Amino acid sequence: MALALVAVLALVAGVQAYQLHRLDDRLAATDRRLAEAQRADGTRLDGLDKRAEALEKEAGAAFNPEAVASAVLPSVFRVRAGQFTGTAFAIGKPAAGGGTTLLTNFHVVESVFDGGGRKVFLERTDQRFEATIVKVDKAKDIAQLRTTAKFTGLVAAGTPVKSGQQIVVVGAPLGLQDSVTTGVVSAFRKDEDGSGPVIQFDAPINPGNSGGPVINGSKEVVGIATAKARDAEGIGLAVPIETACDTFKLC
């Protein structure tokens, strides 16, 4: 009887050991399947994250004139120089001594400058700020202004414009402040007469837009609106922002 009992116990122990071994195998297989599933899920999630990032970049790169105008308008002003009005905009970081640096066209402040004056006024809604003509370049038709008031400076684009690039032009045509028009860069014209290269664009502009910023979809300044072709439609010209930055050591 004792021998029989020992044999039965040994058989039971063997069966249990076999079952435990099979259970371990099944658990190991389950762990492997779970790990593989987790890796696959991780790969899919990584793919989804990259796709989401790509979509966010595409959305950010989409041309949105309303968003551009909203960001830019607080930095753009109507300039009153004697009896002449135009546009100026804050550019770059605040100067070391405080205040704000602005850019406009020379012909906007020409009458005051040639008359020996240096004082002009920046107007925005019902506010008026005094500004000083600091430097000018008559040949390139650009002028640097300075005011003690503090405004957010716009950022100059780091890359040249390309034909077909969408842009926003902000200014005060005929004295009408905060006017916004849109269009595309028609061409980049190289220096042909010694006055420097110009940007040709098709956004509508009128007298008073002179000195206003030409902005790309990333809310960066690419040029300074200067003139429109006479007896033609859709031909506006701007001084490239790098011309002003290099001339006045700004940006």
Side-chain angles (χ1 to χ4, degrees), residues 106-107 109-118 133 136 138:
F106 170 69
H107 74 259
V109 299
E110 182 175 5
S111 62
V112 171
F113 188 86
D114 286 349
R118 295 294 181 267
I133 304 171
V136 302
K138 298 182 180 181

Side-chain angles (χ1 to χ4, degrees), residues 169 181-183 201-206 209:
V169 180
T181 58
T182 63
F201 60 90
D202 70 349
I205 59 173
N206 289 284
N209 271 115

Side-chain angles (χ1 to χ4, degrees), residues 107-126:
H107 74 259
V108 170
V109 299
E110 182 175 5
S111 62
V112 171
F113 188 86
D114 286 349
R118 295 294 181 267
K119 183 185 297 184
V120 296
F121 294 94
L122 308 174
E123 298 176 341
R124 177 155 190 76
T125 58
D126 58 348

